[in-house]
Amino acid sequence: MCSCVVVSIIEQSAINLAVEALARGELVAFPTETVYGLGTDAMNVSALRHLFEVKGRPRTHPVIVHIANVDQLEQWACHVPPSALKLAGAFWPGPLTLILPKAKHVLDEVTGGQSTVGIRIPRHPVAQALLKEFGGGVAAPSANRFGRLSATCAEDVCSEFGDTIAYILNGGPCQVGIESTIVDLSSDTPQILRPGMILSDEISSVLGEPLISHEHAVSNTSKLVVRAPGTLPRHYAPKTPLCLVRSEGLYGKIEACKASGLTVAVMSFTSAPSSFSDIAWMVASGNPVDFAHNLYRNLRFLDRQSCDYLLVESVPDEKAWKAIADRLRRASAHGL
Ligand code: TXA
Ligand code: MG
């Protein structure tokens, strides 16, 4: 049982406690509209080191700096191109992260030693209240242990970290449910480094120019440095091996597992036929927005069933599902 303090939504006293903790260099988990973040003062070296230790994340992986409003951008980026202001105007506060050339004082602990910094203005009211009251930048990766599923409610943050963090601000379930879209504006051509629920087409129509897709960015990064851990082949993974299965092969795969004495938990677009009524089975929405909202919660539920495998029905190969397909691909294991 977790003994950390879980405080409820937008009580000013709770925000004040959290801000005092940040100022002391402690860790505070907070809700954003995408996933919960594990935050600390982005200007405090020892606090950042502690954050990386608690998360179990290699130090070379950069973290996003969260700020309250666009006036603070210039404190973190040495150059704010017009494209950044366009995207900020269209999507901030919201589920978008911009990669910009970093300002001089931005710590290597934040950037992983790179010359760029990731910045986001989240729109969740609790995140907004926290960031406004704190005044500075809050470095926050997703509030999960490195490589694991992101947390989309306070209880899941608690089960990840127990009492190793000072406060969890409980803002209820996250609306979007998967991590922000990351757009790299630090070079001549904008690139999507991580797809999210703000779609590539929406971004290019605001910018008035095409983007380099994240698949291209990934193939570049695997040759060079790993700029975004979300681009590592295995990430966002449950403990139980996850297999993606095409719709037409799902029932056959379940039968085959049963015949081999393997237990499975299933996420499918349709409900379980009566012959599989003994199987832990989540019915996922056919609407990508709802699917994303529930994705990590559903996977965490299935993971808790302690089965040999999670079988997840593949999602449509369409633009609106791209970010979801990306997360499922990275969550999936091979070899079944
Ligand atoms: O929705 C989100 O983005 C959530 C919430 C809490 O804001 N945060 C999140 O953080 O997903 P994290 O650390 O789990 O993933 C952030 C990604 C990482 O893949 C990181 O490598 C990348 O952003 N990133 C951060 N700074 C970067 C930089 N300067 N250049 C390239 N990638 C960067
Ligand atoms: Mg993460």
Side-chain angles (χ1 to χ4, degrees), residues 251 254 266 268 270-283:
Y251 293 176
I254 298 169
V266 175
S268 163
T270 50
S271 51
S274 55
S275 53
F276 295 147
S277 58
D278 55 334
I279 290 178
W281 192 290
M282 299 296 299
V283 180

Side-chain angles (χ1 to χ4, degrees), residues 167-252:
Y167 292 104
I168 299 172
L169 295 173
N170 186 355
C174 300
Q175 186 205 344
V176 177
I178 64 172
E179 306 78 4
S180 60
T181 305
I182 302 181
V183 182
D184 185 353
L185 296 175
S186 66
S187 58
D188 292 344
T189 319
Q191 293 191 15
I192 301 240
L193 294 186
R194 180 175 69 184
M197 295 310 279
I198 297 178
L199 306 180
S200 171
D201 284 355
E202 298 175 75
I203 291 164
S204 57
S205 87
V206 169
L207 292 179
E209 63 176 311
L211 298 171
I212 299 181
S213 79
H214 86 283
E215 286 89 353
H216 185 78
V218 171
S219 66
N220 279 343
T221 53
S222 58
K223 281 186 225 127
L224 300 167
V225 252
V226 175
R227 290 165 69 89
T231 61
L232 290 172
R234 190 152 155 76
H235 209 77
Y236 312 112
K239 292 183 182 125
T240 317
L242 184 154
C243 297
L244 282 173
V245 187
R246 286 183 179 282
S247 310
E248 60 277 14
L250 182 62
Y251 293 176

Side-chain angles (χ1 to χ4, degrees), residues 6 8 13 58 65 73 79 124 169 179 191 208 227 232 239 260 294 303 314 333:
V6 179
S8 60
S13 56
V65 176
L73 251 190
H79 171 59
H124 192 294
L169 295 173
E179 306 78 4
Q191 293 191 15
R227 290 165 69 89
L232 290 172
K239 292 183 182 125
S260 321
N294 291 315
D303 207 12
S314 304

Side-chain angles (χ1 to χ4, degrees), residues 32 34-37 55 57 62-64 66 97 99 114 116-118 120 140-142 179-180 182 193-194 227-230:
T32 81
T34 56
V35 298
Y36 274 70
K55 189 167 157 91
R57 181 164 175 165
V63 281
I64 298 169
H66 296 70
T97 296
I99 306 296
Q114 303 188 74
T116 56
V117 60
R120 175 156 115 82
S142 51
E179 306 78 4
S180 60
I182 302 181
L193 294 186
R194 180 175 69 184
R227 290 165 69 89

Side-chain angles (χ1 to χ4, degrees), residues 11-322:
E11 301 248 344
Q12 189 55 41
S13 56
I15 298 292
N16 292 345
L17 285 174
V19 165
E20 284 162 22
L22 289 175
R24 287 194 300 269
E26 293 173 6
L27 305 182
V28 170
F30 62 98
T32 81
E33 67 281 12
T34 56
V35 298
Y36 274 70
L38 181 59
T40 203
D41 180 355
M43 293 297 290
N44 181 329
V45 174
S46 57
L48 287 161
R49 290 191 177 152
H50 181 52
L51 170 69
F52 277 70
E53 252 162 55
V54 167
K55 189 167 157 91
R57 181 164 175 165
R59 285 203 188 161
T60 49
H61 289 179
V63 281
I64 298 169
V65 176
H66 296 70
I67 55 177
N69 67 67
V70 84
D71 303 337
Q72 291 166 278
L73 251 190
E74 284 178 355
Q75 294 168 25
W76 297 93
C78 66
H79 171 59
V80 179
S83 54
L85 295 177
K86 278 191 198 168
L87 292 181
F91 300 114
W92 275 349
L96 175 75
T97 296
L98 297 180
I99 306 296
L100 296 170
K102 76 176 192 81
K104 222 175 185 174
H105 68 84
V106 181
L107 298 167
D108 282 347
E109 282 74 9
V110 167
T111 65
Q114 303 188 74
S115 57
T116 56
V117 60
I119 306 170
R120 175 156 115 82
I121 302 181
R123 71 162 177 253
H124 192 294
V126 174
Q128 280 278 324
L130 178 73
L131 294 167
K132 277 192 186 127
E133 189 66 36
F134 184 61
V138 172
S142 51
N144 54 281
R145 301 223 178 236
F146 183 65
R148 295 290 174 200
L149 298 171
S150 296
T152 52
C153 65
E155 294 74 12
D156 289 345
V157 179
C158 203
S159 73
E160 287 284 314
F161 295 110
D163 52 10
T164 54
I165 52 186
Y167 292 104
I168 299 172
L169 295 173
N170 186 355
C174 300
Q175 186 205 344
V176 177
I178 64 172
E179 306 78 4
S180 60
T181 305
I182 302 181
V183 182
D184 185 353
L185 296 175
S186 66
S187 58
D188 292 344
T189 319
Q191 293 191 15
I192 301 240
L193 294 186
R194 180 175 69 184
M197 295 310 279
I198 297 178
L199 306 180
S200 171
D201 284 355
E202 298 175 75
I203 291 164
S204 57
S205 87
V206 169
L207 292 179
E209 63 176 311
L211 298 171
I212 299 181
S213 79
H214 86 283
E215 286 89 353
H216 185 78
V218 171
S219 66
N220 279 343
T221 53
S222 58
K223 281 186 225 127
L224 300 167
V225 252
V226 175
R227 290 165 69 89
T231 61
L232 290 172
R234 190 152 155 76
H235 209 77
Y236 312 112
K239 292 183 182 125
T240 317
L242 184 154
C243 297
L244 282 173
V245 187
R246 286 183 179 282
S247 310
E248 60 277 14
L250 182 62
Y251 293 176
K253 187 70 85 184
I254 298 169
E255 293 291 5
C257 286
K258 276 183 135 182
S260 321
L262 296 169
T263 55
V264 296
V266 175
M267 186 158 84
S268 163
F269 289 110
T270 50
S271 51
S274 55
S275 53
F276 295 147
S277 58
D278 55 334
I279 290 178
W281 192 290
M282 299 296 299
V283 180
S285 171
N287 173 326
V289 171
D290 295 336
F291 189 108
H293 171 73
N294 291 315
L295 175 62
Y296 290 132
R297 195 186 59 164
N298 285 346
L299 291 179
R300 280 175 180 268
F301 171 80
L302 294 174
D303 207 12
R304 284 196 295 273
Q305 307 309 308
S306 304
C307 290
D308 295 311
Y309 285 97
L310 305 188
L311 302 184
V312 176
E313 186 174 341
S314 304
V315 300
D317 183 14
E318 292 165 18
K319 286 178 180 174
W321 290 86
K322 207 165 180 172

